[in-house]
Amino acid sequence: MSGVCQGKPSSLPTSPSSSPTHGQPLWLLAELTYKCPLQCPYCSNPKDFADFSEELTTQEWIKVFEEGRKLGAVQLGFSGGEPLVRQDLGELIKAARDLGYYTNLITSGVGLNEHKVAEFREAGLDHIQVSFQASDETVNNMLAGSKKAFQQKLKMAREVKAQGYPMVLNFVTHRHNIDQIDRIIELCVELEADYVELATCQYYGWAYENRQQLMPTRAQLERAERITNEYRVKLAAAGNPIKLIFVTPDYYEERPKGCMNGWGQVFLTVTPDGQALPCHSARMLPMEFPNVREHSLDHIWNDSFGFNHFRGYEWMKEPCLSCDEKEKDFGGCRCQAFMMTGDAHNTDPVCSKSPNHDMILQAREEAETPAAEPFLYRNERNSRVFCKG
Ligand code: FES
């Protein structure tokens, strides 16, 4: 097991290589806290999250929201950890709504109750996404590391609908639950979800550590996609407006995803302790990212090294540099390139043109033989293993 925070020294320069044109940060993700009552082994939070405990205050967050709106951000997601842990969540939602954001709460539902749902509605929250681990109570609770999680999620999903919210249900799928995709969809129909994200696990943070235990086989994946397509047809014919979104894992692709719609183009994440990132996983990269306690979002977005370095194409190596698909996929995911090859400038190994694509092929092969090792759960004790401090 290799910890990213014990990882490689920075090989990156310390000043921007270029200042290519870029848009505005349309999507602001406020990771309010790394605290979470659950312990999902596929969490994308940094493995060394226990090192970062000094959370932004209410006023510091509101300042971030104000600066984000001035830069043109229109959508604000509250996530974590579990954002419900923050006692000022209602106040933050109200501040964001007053500034004109479309607001979205991304929650496990654990810690939610009918009073909070009503309070958030009063504060102007637009939209709630509740995540489940499985359609089966035993599997759900095994993955969440909590005996009560499933019943609580069911109750809260019903409450969210009862109070008139549009609701997204999110299921991260992997080898332990993907064969129950039909039951997952049936559960979503029963709970009257408006949107369902059937998102095959992507391997970042804790999920990367647990990849061998999580990665489905190609046959599992193809079956799940086929069943989802059949349900789409069946539900549409029955007049059910539910939308099923099936997200395939890039480990089974031959071309990489255009991660984040391009580095520093649309997304801006702020971590619980104020670090500003172009994507939620970038904290692992061996490079400097600015903190909102020290810099304005304007400076961070437009002038900082962390946001400028992977904009445009000048940073690219071959085969990306001369590739005629680079404007579509930007060389893939910088975090994935770093995790797998140790250099974030490399082509994402998902790409079949990458000299490191054999790593992906090997992961596919390993998926055919389930790992006997137990999960490394995402919790504070396990996080300490990866911490520097
Ligand atoms: Fe960071 Fe893809 S997750 S660039």
Side-chain angles (χ1 to χ4, degrees), residues 204 257 259-260 263 278-282 285 332-336:
Y204 296 93
K257 57 186 181 277
C259 202
M260 299 287 125
W263 185 268
C279 76
H280 59 285
S281 291
L285 300 180
C333 174
R334 294 308 87 224
C335 299
Q336 194 146 268

Side-chain angles (χ1 to χ4, degrees), residues 178-217:
I178 200 164
D179 292 337
Q180 284 85 48
I181 199 96
D182 49 345
R183 299 222 294 274
I184 290 175
I185 296 171
E186 294 285 350
L187 177 64
C188 294
V189 170
E190 187 203 315
L191 293 171
E192 298 177 71
D194 298 281
Y195 297 89
V196 179
E197 279 181 10
L198 302 163
T200 322
C201 191
Q202 301 279 8
Y203 303 104
Y204 296 93
W206 295 83
Y208 192 66
E209 286 298 314
N210 289 301
R211 190 182 70 193
Q212 276 196 298
Q213 292 92 321
L214 290 167
M215 192 162 154
T217 64

